[in-house]
Every structure is written in structure tokens, then in C-alpha cells.
Amino acid sequence: MTTLATPAPAKVNLFLHVGPVKPNGRHDLDSLVAFGGIGASDYVKAELADEISLTVNGPFGADAGSVEDNLVLRAAKALQQASGVRAGARIELQKWLPVAAGIGGGSSDAAAVLRRLTELWGVDRAHARAISPGLGGDVLVALEGAPARMQGEGERVTPAALPWISALLVNPRVVCPTGPVFRAFDGDGGGADFSEIDPWPEFSSAKALGTWLARQRNDLEAPAIRLVPQIGEVLDLLAQQRGALLARMSGSGATCFALFAELAEAERASIILKQERPDWWAVPTRLGGERWT
């Protein structure tokens, strides 16, 4: 029986500018997104079956909530309905990424299963693109699986040419749900200074990218730190690491990252942080030119 497997890589918001809350309760965004490599990923397997089913395991599987509410299952059923196929799939999700961590684990998982099911069922990926915005703001960019600028509510995705840059992803093993962070942002009157970046620069090197990103921001960082003070501790430790070009929170938290010109620098920082905080999740990886198809 045909079985297809794929990584569902961590999504990293290299910057995240957030507009004020809109009448529909959502926010316009302007963000540069890149994806982690092997080691900074969940994994999805799918094989043909009569019906759609999902099992979840892995180090963070117990944190993923009920299977019935899992975005992977919702994505599979939505694709089945949109494409009109009668086939099902037996899906296995291995959770290696922290949950509610600001790195789009659930969205990347959903995108990964959409990529594999379009292949397994022999349906046009246009169906997957059409349903992605309704599944969540990060699903469409994760479906494309390459560095991109994400705007609007996540429905405007433009490919971005980035040099390879190394990163250390760190999570203090504390959940930071998206909803409370956005509500705190709104309560502060957030988004009043929102503006999209124009013109968009070209980056000749990892160092040039890091220098430019240092002039940007993550607008959700301050409200997230108030809700989860451990995020501030993570950022402080990352900023102290030798060779760190930038330390920033990703998405709505609590995962933070430091950027480095060389992977060896990220790996060295990972060893140091694991010695100081052995209970934290810390993974060195590379961000940039790879595309997950």
C-alpha cells in the first residue's frame, strides 16, 4: 500500500508587524516567514484507506489536544469535500514541535497533510490552496513551504528570496496561546503605527539579512512577555550568545530564535543553553532557501 511521508517544518516569523483589530476580530499582518530544516519539524504520514483517520504521537503528542479537534483532521476532511474524492486516508502525525509555541506547528501539520493527500488522492493542489485560508492564517504560507512575505490576514503570500541563515529555536516549554496574546495587544491599543514595508530590499548575505531584520520588530513580543515572563528570559539568554545577530520571538510566542551567520555558532549556542536550561526545548537549524513540496 502506498504510504507518503513528509516533514512539517517549524514556521519562523523573522519579523511580524500587526495592524489594529478589524471588525471581523482579525488583524492585518506584514511578516517575513521562513521554515526550519530537518530536526525542527513535525512529521506526517498518510496512506490510502476507506475513511479518514488520525493518530497522534511523538514527544509533544500528548499536548496536541483531542484528535477530533486537530487541524490535520479538519484539513483532510475539508480537502476531501472540496475535491469530491471518495477515498480516505490513514494519517499519522508525529509531534516533535512544541504546541501553542508561535512556530505554526498546527498550521504546518495541516499544510503537510494537504500536500501529501493531493498526491495520494491525485487531486489538483488548487483545491488545497482554496481551503487553506479558512483553516488558519498560516496554512497557506506553510502549504507553499518556502520563504515568503505574508500580508493581509495571511491570504497574500509572495515568495521571498533569502540567503541561508542559521538559527537556534528555543522554547521554555510553556504554552502561550495565540488568543490571549492578541487580546493583550488589542488592549494596549496595538497596531496604531502599522504600515507595510516598502520597498522590499534584497539581501546579499546572512549578515545583511540579520542587520535589516534588527530594524524590524515582532509587535506581539511585549504583550506575550507580560503573559509569559519566561519569554523575556529566553530572549536575554539568546542575545548573550556569541555570534548572535538578532534575538526575537516568533509569531505569538513562546518560541524565540537567535540568528547566526554560521550553523556551528547556532549549534554551540544550543549546547550552552541546554546546559543552563536542560528543561527547555532548543533546536539549531537553517532557514532560507529550502522548499518543502
Side-chain angles (χ1 to χ4, degrees), residues 14-116:
L14 295 173
F15 75 81
L16 177 58
H17 298 175
V18 182
V21 63
K22 302 195 297 185
N24 65 1
R26 299 186 178 185
H27 302 73
D28 284 329
L29 310 172
D30 192 8
S31 183
L32 178 58
V33 173
F35 293 89
I38 301 298
S41 301
D42 290 336
Y43 293 87
V44 172
K45 295 180 181 179
E47 65 181 19
L48 284 174
D50 293 333
E51 297 185 359
I52 295 174
S53 63
L54 172 66
T55 58
V56 182
N57 53 43
F60 292 97
D63 300 332
S66 68
V67 169
E68 291 75 16
D69 294 331
N70 195 286
L71 193 58
V72 166
L73 192 63
R74 288 170 49 200
K77 290 181 177 179
L79 180 63
Q80 184 188 54
Q81 182 176 6
S83 62
V85 300
R86 296 186 177 181
R90 187 176 298 108
I91 305 164
E92 177 188 348
L93 169 60
Q94 298 177 6
K95 287 295 298 179
W96 291 84
L97 299 176
V99 175
I103 47 177
S107 295
S108 190
D109 297 341
V113 81
L114 290 176
R115 288 197 297 270
R116 291 292 75 89

Side-chain angles (χ1 to χ4, degrees), residues 210-233:
T211 298
W212 182 82
L213 286 170
R215 299 196 295 269
Q216 311 308 322
R217 61 190 188 275
N218 180 342
D219 288 336
L220 300 180
E221 194 170 280
I225 290 173
R226 288 203 308 274
L227 294 172
V228 182
Q230 294 93 327
I231 294 172
E233 183 183 359

Side-chain angles (χ1 to χ4, degrees), residues 87-287:
R90 187 176 298 108
I91 305 164
E92 177 188 348
L93 169 60
Q94 298 177 6
K95 287 295 298 179
W96 291 84
L97 299 176
V99 175
I103 47 177
S107 295
S108 190
D109 297 341
V113 81
L114 290 176
R115 288 197 297 270
R116 291 292 75 89
L117 290 182
T118 54
E119 185 177 354
L120 194 68
W121 291 341
V123 301
D124 196 312
R125 191 172 286 191
H127 293 298
R129 293 190 183 97
I131 66 172
S132 290
L135 295 168
D138 289 335
V139 177
L140 183 59
V141 72
L143 182 66
E144 299 304 322
R149 183 180 188 178
M150 185 173 63
Q151 296 167 282
E153 295 178 10
E155 79 283 1
R156 294 161 55 198
V157 175
T158 306
L162 296 184
W164 284 106
I165 191 165
S166 298
L168 174 60
L169 309 183
V170 178
N171 185 285
R173 302 290 291 266
V174 177
V175 170
C176 187
T178 297
V181 174
F182 271 98
R183 286 193 290 272
F185 173 79
D186 296 338
D188 293 339
D193 60 348
F194 175 73
S195 61
E196 296 182 337
I197 298 171
D198 189 36
W200 189 256
E202 294 183 4
F203 307 106
S204 58
S205 66
K207 194 166 186 178
L209 174 60
T211 298
W212 182 82
L213 286 170
R215 299 196 295 269
Q216 311 308 322
R217 61 190 188 275
N218 180 342
D219 288 336
L220 300 180
E221 194 170 280
I225 290 173
R226 288 203 308 274
L227 294 172
V228 182
Q230 294 93 327
I231 294 172
E233 183 183 359
V234 175
L235 290 169
D236 289 343
L237 285 175
L238 284 174
Q240 296 169 17
Q241 301 307 307
R242 189 170 69 184
L245 302 171
L246 167 71
R248 178 167 290 156
M249 188 183 81
S250 176
S252 58
T255 303
C256 302
F257 62 91
L259 298 181
F260 301 86
E262 302 294 337
L263 183 59
E265 295 174 317
E267 292 172 338
R268 180 177 62 238
S270 174
I271 293 171
I272 293 171
L273 261 72
K274 286 178 180 178
Q275 290 173 342
E276 295 187 16
R277 298 290 189 274
D279 54 326
W280 287 3
W281 178 83
V283 175
T285 190
R286 296 182 77 203
L287 310 172

